[in-house]
Amino acid sequence: MRFADLHLHSHFSDGTYRPEELAAHAQRCGLAAIALTDHDSVEGCPATAQACAAAGVEFIAGTELTAEQDGNELHLLGYFINTQNPSFLSQIAQFQAVRQNRIREMVARLNRLKVPLSAEAVFALANCQAPGRPHVARALVQAGLCGSLDEAFERFLKKNRPAWVPKFKLSASEAIGLIHQAEGVAVLAHPGLNRTDQIIPSMVEAGLDGIECFHTKHSTATSEHYLGLADRFHLLVTGGSDCHGMNKGKPLIGTVRVPYQHVEMLRARAAEIKGKS
Ligand code: AMP
Ligand code: FE
Ligand code: FE
Ligand code: ZN
């Protein structure tokens, strides 16, 4: 059987792996295909495509957008994105600018709390277009201002903590539209984490293509629950590890994977979406 891990982050967002490392791990775990799904970014796609080609692993260009519906945050994955699509690129460039301004605002709040971190230190460490809270946390640890990443989130960065700054968010239907416009397949990420089942019907109305049934943080019962919803709403099924790099001494990549037939169904849907656009 051939398998794919369809949810991975690189150092082009808040993961730590370089494209070559992702490709090497994918090859080592025997994955037939991987998708890169960096937050609000496709910056890592060209280099990861190249590294995967060299490693004999199929590469799928993807992204993970943050949306909000009825006060709930949810994440939407886009697969088989046309990473050259000019309007998609200009839209995500806006999200990236929002992220960069948000870093400055988080640092200003830290400074008001007498935590002497500089925005430049965060940008230098992040070294990508889509910096986020994990980079602020790493910069705090690197500067010796926090003992651990957990401490940084607990004291400062978690929702409603003193340095937390909300992020501009799209509605779910806007995010789906944006992914479709870039010829991508729109999939609701890790629904078991956000518990937003009640809005799935409206997302289906808005054109949602699939649902991430298998995820590191989904129990077997949770996966089965979402497989049931996928069946009921005629949605494609995806899954992935959501690997951000090393986790407790080992990488998550390959620990959650789906049979390759799901990649074929995603590809067929992408061809339909492209045909309509
Ligand atoms: P952002 O997109 O800037 O709001 O950051 C969200 C990212 O921060 C998530 O994708 C996770 O990778 C990470 N994250 C969120 N909460 C925590 C936490 N409590 N501890 C560690 N990492 C977290
Ligand atoms: Fe993340
Ligand atoms: Fe996510
Ligand atoms: Zn993710």
Side-chain angles (χ1 to χ4, degrees):
M1 271 271 266
R2 301 167 75 213
F3 292 95
D5 183 339
L6 299 173
H7 194 151
L8 299 169
H9 295 271
S10 74
H11 76 78
F12 288 98
S13 67
D14 57 357
T16 55
Y17 286 135
R18 288 178 290 109
E20 298 72 27
E21 292 174 297
L22 277 178
H25 278 296
Q27 188 184 41
R28 203 166 311 139
C29 323
L31 291 168
I34 62 168
L36 183 65
T37 55
D38 277 321
H39 300 284
D40 295 337
S41 181
V42 289
E43 194 186 356
C45 286
T48 310
Q50 207 174 4
C52 281
V57 174
E58 181 181 338
F59 176 72
I60 298 159
T63 190
E64 181 172 15
L65 303 180
T66 305
E68 192 179 276
Q69 195 79 29
D70 309 332
N72 298 303
E73 176 167 325
L74 50 94
H75 293 179
L76 279 152
L77 298 159
Y79 292 112
F80 292 101
I81 293 274
N82 174 356
T83 60
Q84 305 295 315
N85 183 285
S87 60
F88 178 75
L89 289 175
S90 81
Q91 290 273 0
I92 62 170
Q94 277 185 35
F95 305 154
Q96 292 164 358
V98 168
R99 280 180 170 276
Q100 290 158 20
N101 289 333
R102 177 169 171 251
I103 299 283
R104 291 191 189 91
E105 178 60 29
M106 286 193 277
V107 167
R109 290 187 190 204
L110 286 165
N111 293 165
R112 270 180 246 135
L113 297 163
K114 305 272 177 277
V115 179
L117 188 72
S118 76
E120 282 61 42
V122 180
F123 291 131
L125 180 147
N127 191 29
C128 69
Q129 292 165 354
R133 287 181 290 163
H135 299 112
V136 179
R138 283 183 219 155
L140 283 166
V141 172
Q142 197 178 64
L145 297 164
C146 280
S148 68
L149 299 176
D150 275 348
E151 186 195 323
F153 271 94
E154 287 301 324
R155 276 176 66 195
F156 300 120
L157 301 173
K158 264 169 78 164
K159 187 170 181 180
N160 299 326
R161 292 291 147 89
W164 176 72
V165 176
K167 198 164 54 179
F168 161 84
K169 292 184 191 105
L170 302 162
S171 72
S173 63
E174 284 169 332
I176 293 167
L178 193 54
I179 290 165
H180 283 168
Q181 188 204 308
E183 302 163 20
V185 181
V187 173
L188 178 62
H190 45 63
L193 268 68
N194 308 82
R195 294 252 149 236
T196 46
D197 286 15
Q198 69 285 0
I199 64 166
I200 290 176
S202 69
M203 294 178 73
V204 173
E205 284 280 302
L208 184 72
D209 299 293
I211 189 161
E212 189 177 51
C213 295
F214 301 99
H215 183 273
T216 300
K217 294 189 176 159
H218 281 181
S219 67
T220 306
T222 301
S223 294
E224 277 166 7
H225 170 70
Y226 289 107
L227 285 168
L229 288 188
D231 197 45
R232 164 135 61 99
F233 291 105
H234 307 292
L235 293 167
L236 300 173
V237 169
T238 74
S241 64
D242 210 351
C243 177
H244 283 72
M246 276 296 207
N247 185 287
K248 301 191 176 81
K250 64 175 180 19
L252 288 173
I253 178 172
T255 58
V256 178
R257 47 186 207 168
V258 289
Y260 188 78
Q261 73 191 77
H262 293 289
V263 173
E264 281 165 349
M265 288 189 274
L266 284 172
R267 195 200 322 280
R269 179 62 58 90
E272 280 175 36
I273 292 164
K274 190 172 178 181
K276 277 189 211 148
S277 68

